[in-house]
Amino acid sequence: MDEVARNAAAPDEADEHLIREAEKIAVALGRMFPGLCEVVLHDLRDPQHAIRAIENNLSGRRVGDSATELGLARIEDPDYPSVIQNYPNQFPDGRPAKSTSIGIKNAAGQYIAALCLNLDVSVLSPVTLALSNLVATEAEHREQPLETLRDRNARELRRAVEAHAAERAATPRSLSREDKKDLVRQLQRDGYFDSRDAAQTIADLLGVSRATVYNYAK
């Protein structure tokens, strides 16, 4: 291997080593709090298949599922806060959670991973008074949820589109132009456009071009 190739490979090897070490921490933390705290390691180098490890699975996600909104925000902005502590969250079945997200940067200052802890506070309700400090979330994050603990994949996107059409007694392709525009804008607000292939998937479901989808989103 020549000098240029060695220099190019070195950062990737260092990043992979850092993520492997973080994976040990994720597994150990999850096993310390069985049935109570989900611990997820996201590999932000591959946002479409970001979940590298998930221990004590409470959200139903799987290894290989996509990054959450916080992960995508860190990928786009190296100055995004490295630690978001004790913010309110919710599991897909409605159980309340208290979450902490820790961004991990490489030597170049780029976010390459995130270690996330999601505490199921519903099981603590019988002793909420005694454990009020444990279940408390930071006031600055109470108004607007920062992320959803689910994979925004094509299957979920299809369900959202079909549900919108069903509410109007129609199929996605038979929706009116205005209804399609409203749907696209709602999907954008809900974060579905963060997925790489979302626009094409929506276009296929609605029977329009990808360019039309982007026009609707304006």
Side-chain angles (χ1 to χ4, degrees):
M1 182 184 294
D2 60 30
E3 186 67 23
V4 173
R6 281 197 298 271
N7 290 339
D12 290 339
E13 293 172 359
D15 290 355
E16 180 61 26
H17 175 76
L18 190 59
I19 291 175
R20 284 200 302 268
E21 292 300 300
E23 189 169 352
K24 296 177 186 177
I25 298 172
V27 172
L29 284 174
R31 292 180 181 178
M32 187 173 180
F33 303 103
L36 183 63
C37 186
E38 175 185 80
V39 184
V40 187
L41 178 65
H42 296 272
D43 184 342
L44 300 183
R45 300 172 302 174
D46 184 9
Q48 297 302 315
H49 308 92
I51 294 184
R52 176 75 170 256
I54 182 165
E55 192 68 29
N56 197 23
N57 192 332
L58 299 176
S59 64
R61 292 173 294 171
R62 297 174 297 177
V63 170
D65 279 352
S66 61
T68 67
E69 294 87 337
L70 283 181
L72 296 173
R74 287 192 171 112
I75 292 171
E76 294 181 2
D77 182 9
D79 294 326
Y80 197 86
S82 59
V83 178
I84 306 292
Q85 187 87 47
N86 296 337
Y87 58 91
N89 216 330
Q90 188 177 67
F91 292 109
D93 62 4
R95 284 173 298 157
K98 184 176 85 167
S99 298
T100 289
S101 177
I102 306 164
I104 299 171
K105 289 183 176 182
N106 60 12
Q110 300 169 322
Y111 281 114
I112 60 168
L115 183 63
C116 303
L117 295 83
N118 303 306
L119 181 69
D120 182 358
V121 298
S122 69
V123 301
L124 303 174
S125 56
V127 288
T128 297
L129 184 60
L131 298 173
S132 58
N133 288 333
L134 179 61
V135 301
T137 55
E138 299 293 343
E140 63 182 295
H141 302 305
R142 286 176 187 162
E143 295 301 322
Q144 181 64 39
L146 292 175
E147 62 179 341
T148 50
L149 299 178
R150 57 185 179 182
D151 175 39
R152 292 192 174 279
N153 55 25
R155 187 183 303 112
E156 183 181 349
L157 178 55
R158 179 181 295 275
R159 284 198 297 264
V161 171
E162 291 175 346
H164 182 93
E167 291 173 359
R168 290 155 180 77
T171 64
R173 287 177 174 248
S174 68
L175 288 169
S176 69
R177 182 176 181 277
E178 287 305 312
D179 281 340
K180 288 180 180 179
K181 185 180 295 186
D182 290 342
L183 169 59
V184 169
R185 289 176 177 174
Q186 184 62 53
L187 293 172
Q188 185 181 45
R189 287 192 295 270
D190 290 344
Y192 286 97
F193 276 72
D194 294 334
S195 174
R196 180 183 59 187
D197 300 322
Q200 188 60 57
T201 300
I202 295 168
D204 293 341
L205 291 170
L206 297 182
V208 298
S209 69
R210 184 176 180 181
T212 297
V213 169
Y214 283 119
N215 285 333
Y216 286 168
K218 292 180 180 178

